[in-house]
Amino acid sequence: VLVTVASAVAGGEDCLWYVDRNGSWHPGFDCDFLTFCCGTCHQRYCCRDPLRLLSQRQQRHCLAF
């Protein structure tokens, strides 16, 4: 688990664009050093909590549905 978290932090997970529950489009954005993209398919923000990490793979999965 620590290796996964460390690689995610080092990789600087960025938040991809998304559409919120109201259908509004939000552009993608970069997270600061030692933070990564967190949240859900419909709301994203940068945080330091690895339990809330939303990987780029998970984000792309959101776009498919």
Side-chain angles (χ1 to χ4, degrees), residues 14-18 25-31 37 44 46 59:
D14 295 329
C15 292
L16 304 177
W17 68 270
Y18 67 99
W25 180 84
H26 296 267
F29 54 92
D30 294 332
C31 294
C37 191
R44 299 188 189 157
C46 297
Q59 293 178 64

Side-chain angles (χ1 to χ4, degrees), residues 39-50:
T40 66
C41 288
H42 304 291
Q43 181 182 11
R44 299 188 189 157
Y45 53 92
C46 297
C47 76
R48 294 178 187 230
D49 184 352

Side-chain angles (χ1 to χ4, degrees), residues 21-60:
R21 293 193 187 279
N22 296 323
S24 297
W25 180 84
H26 296 267
F29 54 92
D30 294 332
C31 294
D32 293 333
F33 184 67
L34 295 179
T35 64
F36 36 80
C37 191
C38 299
T40 66
C41 288
H42 304 291
Q43 181 182 11
R44 299 188 189 157
Y45 53 92
C46 297
C47 76
R48 294 178 187 230
D49 184 352
L51 298 176
R52 295 181 184 205
L53 171 69
L54 189 63
S55 71
Q56 287 190 358
R57 181 178 179 191
Q58 290 169 312
Q59 293 178 64
R60 284 191 296 273

